[in-house]
Amino acid sequence: MAEIYIPSKELIEMLKISSQELIDIEKFFDSIPDDEWELEEGKDYRIVSRSGLREYTFTGAYTIARYVETHRKQSFFDVLKEWFLHTKRNIRRAFVRKKILDNCSSLVKRNNRFFLSKADVIAIFGTNASYLSKMAEAAKRTDTSLIEGEDYESFGDKNELYYSLPGVMKLAKQFSTTLTRKNRREWCDDVGKEAPPYVANTIVNLILDREKAIQKAKDQAKRRDKKICQVTGKKPDKIHNFNLAAHHLYASHAYPHLADVENNLITISCEVHDQFHQHFMGGTHQPCTIDDFIDFVHQYYPTNSKLPAWLAKQKVVLGQQQPIDERKPHVLYLPASRVL
């Protein structure tokens, strides 16, 4: 997922400091590269103009916020409220939670534990593969050793390494006691405190809530269509009994943002549903669109003259749509089966 940057203007408003104060802080960081505080160009910020104007990543903004808190008598974190996740917790942990949210698409429940891939763990800690491995090896030699099968495990088609949430906590402890930069130590420490409850409670609940919203939209679509197959015009009865499906006009796996939208659903018989996906599209793995369904109706059910007009109307209502990158979907678009 692309890195999100926070403009300097927005950062000073959030931290309630002046432009000059931010400039002075930037000069301080730039002039003392070996200090315990560190900002790294390309990782913590980027320069967006010839004047040197900067935009900050979450880790960079976190570091500035921690510096301000440390060097002011009043804790600014106590007065900064609701930014990304509409919480009343302090902003530095909001940065951490946002980083976690954007980098846990590998989330899966296994043996009653939640696991994240090594790649996601690297992104959340803001480190690299070799250093994470170094910290993992060091953590195995501590009193609270990393335990294979509980804290880490390799599985999946590619036998990829995953860390459980307790394993992430142990890694965070190792990072926070090993790193020399204060801002990096505190970031990793906050990851250890925030990741387990945020993933296991907030994120998992959001995934489950979305699954309920999808089912609700399907039920509403069937009621709207009077439980009649919109392709054949047939309705199940005691003589001709068959099952109905709520079909996504834009495939739910390729267009997950439309999965719980009633206008993206149409009621059809399961037989027609299979006919469309298996025969016309060549399998359920093929991402379908509303145009595909319109072509299907024209070819397989040419006598149904009303449905193509209705579908054309729905296409306008839904607007121009682009599929997501299915190689790394957002965690909130994961199927509930991944976390149950």
Side-chain angles (χ1 to χ4, degrees):
M1 183 170 291
E3 187 71 75
I4 297 175
Y5 287 86
I6 304 164
S8 293
K9 183 179 180 181
E10 187 173 343
L11 184 60
I12 63 176
E13 291 175 355
M14 292 164 54
L15 298 179
K16 299 189 184 302
I17 61 177
S18 67
S19 299
Q20 188 58 49
E21 284 178 300
L22 179 58
I23 292 171
D24 290 341
I25 291 171
E26 291 173 343
K27 289 180 178 178
F28 170 77
F29 279 95
D30 293 343
S31 63
I32 313 177
D34 295 327
D35 192 74
E36 65 176 355
W37 297 94
E38 179 186 44
L39 285 176
E40 181 180 337
E41 184 177 356
K43 179 179 180 181
D44 299 311
Y45 68 91
R46 65 182 179 187
I47 297 176
V48 295
S49 72
R50 292 183 179 180
S51 65
L53 183 66
R54 301 179 181 186
E55 290 182 345
Y56 286 88
T57 62
F58 293 113
T59 55
Y62 172 94
T63 299
I64 295 290
R66 288 294 294 121
Y67 180 87
V68 170
E69 184 189 34
T70 302
H71 290 77
R72 291 292 187 86
K73 292 181 180 179
Q74 181 186 7
S75 172
F76 281 87
F77 294 128
D78 293 335
V79 299
L80 294 170
K81 296 180 179 179
E82 291 194 50
W83 195 54
F84 273 111
L85 306 175
H86 306 291
T87 69
K88 294 183 179 180
R89 297 181 182 181
N90 60 58
I91 196 170
R92 64 188 180 94
R93 291 193 177 179
F95 288 135
V96 173
R97 289 194 298 275
K98 187 61 171 66
K99 190 72 172 181
I100 294 168
L101 181 64
D102 288 342
N103 293 278
C104 62
S105 61
S106 61
L107 179 64
V108 63
K109 191 173 185 180
R110 182 181 175 87
N111 298 327
N112 210 33
R113 289 173 178 260
F114 292 108
F115 283 82
L116 295 174
S117 69
K118 180 181 178 180
D120 277 344
V121 172
I122 288 171
I124 292 169
F125 278 116
T127 186
N128 55 57
S130 61
Y131 200 77
L132 179 68
S133 297
K134 179 180 178 180
M135 292 296 97
E137 288 302 315
K140 292 176 184 178
R141 298 191 293 270
T142 63
D143 293 337
T144 55
S145 174
L146 281 174
I147 301 173
E148 186 173 5
E150 293 184 11
D151 300 318
Y152 68 95
E153 188 175 353
S154 295
F155 54 84
D157 294 338
K158 298 181 180 179
N159 200 35
E160 186 179 359
L161 179 61
Y162 281 71
Y163 290 96
S164 68
L165 294 181
V168 171
M169 289 178 63
K170 292 179 180 181
L171 286 171
K173 183 177 180 181
Q174 189 63 44
F175 271 109
S176 62
T177 57
T178 304
L179 293 168
T180 58
R181 305 290 183 185
K182 185 175 182 179
N183 56 309
R184 291 287 298 126
R185 291 199 306 269
E186 293 185 340
W187 173 273
C188 293
D189 184 56
D190 279 343
V191 167
K193 293 175 180 176
E194 289 295 312
Y198 185 55
V199 172
N201 298 323
T202 304
I203 291 179
V204 168
N205 285 336
L206 287 171
I207 293 172
L208 297 177
D209 288 344
R210 177 175 178 270
E211 195 79 3
K212 294 176 184 176
I214 293 172
Q215 186 57 53
K216 181 179 179 181
K218 288 182 176 181
D219 294 340
Q220 290 173 334
K222 289 179 179 179
R223 285 194 295 270
R224 177 200 66 200
D225 297 335
K226 297 179 173 56
K227 296 184 179 180
I228 296 173
C229 174
Q230 299 301 293
V231 173
T232 65
K234 297 178 180 179
K235 184 176 183 177
D237 56 36
K238 62 181 181 180
I239 298 175
H240 299 96
N241 189 25
F242 57 89
N243 294 322
L244 294 170
H247 168 67
H248 285 99
L249 298 171
Y250 286 96
S252 59
H253 57 91
Y255 303 85
H257 54 291
L258 297 176
D260 59 353
V261 176
E262 182 182 337
N263 282 324
N264 187 44
L265 290 159
I266 184 172
T267 306
I268 57 178
S269 71
C270 288
E271 182 181 359
V272 172
H273 199 220
D274 289 342
Q275 186 182 38
F276 171 72
H277 282 294
Q278 300 298 337
H279 299 287
F280 184 78
M281 291 299 299
T284 55
H285 63 284
Q286 297 292 344
C288 64
T289 68
I290 192 169
D291 287 324
D292 293 321
F293 199 73
I294 292 173
D295 291 341
F296 166 74
V297 173
H298 281 310
Q299 292 183 37
Y300 284 69
Y301 299 89
T303 59
N304 189 333
S305 58
K306 292 184 178 180
L307 184 55
W310 182 85
L311 290 169
K313 180 182 177 182
Q314 294 305 97
K315 183 178 178 180
V316 174
V317 171
L318 293 168
Q320 188 69 28
Q321 298 295 332
Q322 294 295 328
I324 65 162
D325 184 353
E326 294 186 58
R327 293 171 298 178
K328 190 174 175 62
H330 196 280
V331 63
L332 298 185
Y333 292 152
L334 293 179
S337 58
R338 288 278 293 270
V339 296
L340 290 175

